[in-house]
Amino acid sequence: MIDRRAVVASLLAVSLTSLNACAESNEMLETVAEGLDHPWSLAFLPDGTILVTERAGNLRTIGMDRKLSTPISGLPEVAAVGQGGLLDIALHPNFEETRLVFLSFAEPREEGKNGTSVMRGRLSEDLRRLTDVKVIFRQQPAYKGGAHFGSRLAFDRAGALFVTTGDRLNLRPLVQQTDNHIGKIIRITEDGGIPPDNPRPKGWLPEIWSIGHRNLQGAAIHPETGQLWTVEHGAKGGDELNHPEAGKNYGWPVITYSREYSGEPIGEGLTEKDGMEQPVHYWTPSIGPSGMVFYTGDKYPQWKGNLFVGALALKHLARLVFKDGKVVEEQRLYDGRARIRDVRQGPDGYLYMLTDEDAPMGRVMKITL
């Protein structure tokens, strides 16, 4: 006697396998370089050469031959502890003239403490060293710990530099205070000065753009509006997508869609409060959002205008579709493949991702869909 349920189950399994195979054929990844140790960020030089940071403190290049260089010299000492180390990288808007490279990093401070800092240096023509190195921002206060450094860099259309920071995990009480850099977005000039159009509410340090953030590990400038967009980690659930505006408060740790890892409520146990902004979108459970980019190329026409966000905790690349400024669709690409630390658009119009893995497994991957 034929077991109909077994037949149906078998047919269903074959169908799912076929569907997965089709999905795989339409979601192809190509390894551009491997052998990296927890790569954190990448940037493209005008000729297509890739600059990539490794959390342990190395900055390397990947040439057109796809070979990984030896570390570039001239970088300051980094505090490679926990989540800290060499973090984001951004090129000066006029890099071809200035050759200036900006790097955020966990900097060793006095008495065993550390904090998020930003340096700039001039990249030599042979791509082997940084010169004229100068630290242009130091998060204060420093703290002895290895968590929640942030940190992403993004130049706006006026040439000012956004720097995202974290709450250092155990400094929550400082986030809503405006005389420090804990859980803030900072906006400075390329020399570390204060842009004249910063918000400057009463009692705020002049370099602060917005407050009430937990741990911002993604930032991108919208290609059409020029507006800053960010993602930040919640605790248990409550990761957020925001477009932080000047002088506004984004709630952490007073209001949040997150909970303590124990399951207990955070702050006032509320998700809304007067004077505090709501996220554009939030994730529960947490995806662990990291690097992000708005896609503007023509290699994947169906994705034009979408936002891509790397997911560390749930190991995928999130594709977000917008309508009237709101997220109306979300897709998980390469689900379960690896922790995606960063995603950038290359000058060739393709998307490139970094996998957050120990050496030699850390890779730069190109989406060849």
Side-chain angles (χ1 to χ4, degrees), residues 118-154:
V118 178
M119 61 139 289
R120 74 173 201 182
R122 204 174 307 277
L123 183 63
S124 63
E125 293 285 349
D126 62 7
L127 310 182
R128 293 183 179 180
R129 63 191 180 279
L130 290 179
T131 60
D132 303 325
V133 172
K134 174 186 177 184
V135 176
I136 62 170
F137 169 76
R138 287 186 168 95
Q139 181 189 36
Q140 299 292 350
Y143 177 71
K144 188 179 290 187
H148 294 197
F149 293 91
S151 163
R152 290 290 173 181
L153 306 174

Side-chain angles (χ1 to χ4, degrees), residues 98-276:
T98 68
R99 299 200 64 80
L100 288 176
V101 174
F102 294 75
L103 295 159
S104 64
F105 64 107
E107 182 183 37
R109 306 276 181 86
E110 69 286 347
E111 300 174 352
K113 298 178 182 178
N114 52 54
T116 301
S117 295
V118 178
M119 61 139 289
R120 74 173 201 182
R122 204 174 307 277
L123 183 63
S124 63
E125 293 285 349
D126 62 7
L127 310 182
R128 293 183 179 180
R129 63 191 180 279
L130 290 179
T131 60
D132 303 325
V133 172
K134 174 186 177 184
V135 176
I136 62 170
F137 169 76
R138 287 186 168 95
Q139 181 189 36
Q140 299 292 350
Y143 177 71
K144 188 179 290 187
H148 294 197
F149 293 91
S151 163
R152 290 290 173 181
L153 306 174
F155 278 98
D156 67 15
R157 290 178 177 175
L161 179 63
F162 286 110
V163 182
T164 73
T165 71
D167 69 355
R168 302 308 314 276
L169 185 62
N170 295 318
L171 297 184
R172 284 186 194 175
L174 300 185
V175 174
Q176 288 293 319
Q177 299 176 21
T178 56
D179 60 350
N180 65 77
H181 303 133
I182 304 299
K184 310 294 193 298
I185 293 178
I186 306 300
R187 184 172 181 259
I188 55 177
T189 67
E190 63 181 72
D191 297 316
I194 310 301
D197 56 344
N198 268 13
R200 301 175 186 257
K202 184 178 180 181
W204 287 36
L205 292 176
E207 60 268 29
I208 296 176
W209 178 262
S210 61
I211 70 171
H213 303 286
R214 185 173 184 265
N215 189 23
L216 297 131
Q217 290 197 355
I221 302 298
H222 194 286
E224 295 178 0
T225 66
Q227 188 175 38
L228 175 70
W229 286 68
T230 62
V231 289
E232 63 185 86
H233 291 244
K236 188 175 184 180
D239 298 341
E240 293 185 4
L241 169 68
N242 289 297
H243 50 75
E245 297 181 23
K248 293 191 175 181
N249 184 343
Y250 288 81
W252 180 260
V254 179
I255 62 169
T256 177
Y257 288 88
S258 183
R259 299 184 74 85
E260 300 286 8
Y261 295 110
S262 66
E264 294 297 311
I266 294 172
E268 297 183 2
L270 302 173
T271 57
E272 298 182 28
K273 187 173 182 178
D274 288 345
M276 295 183 176

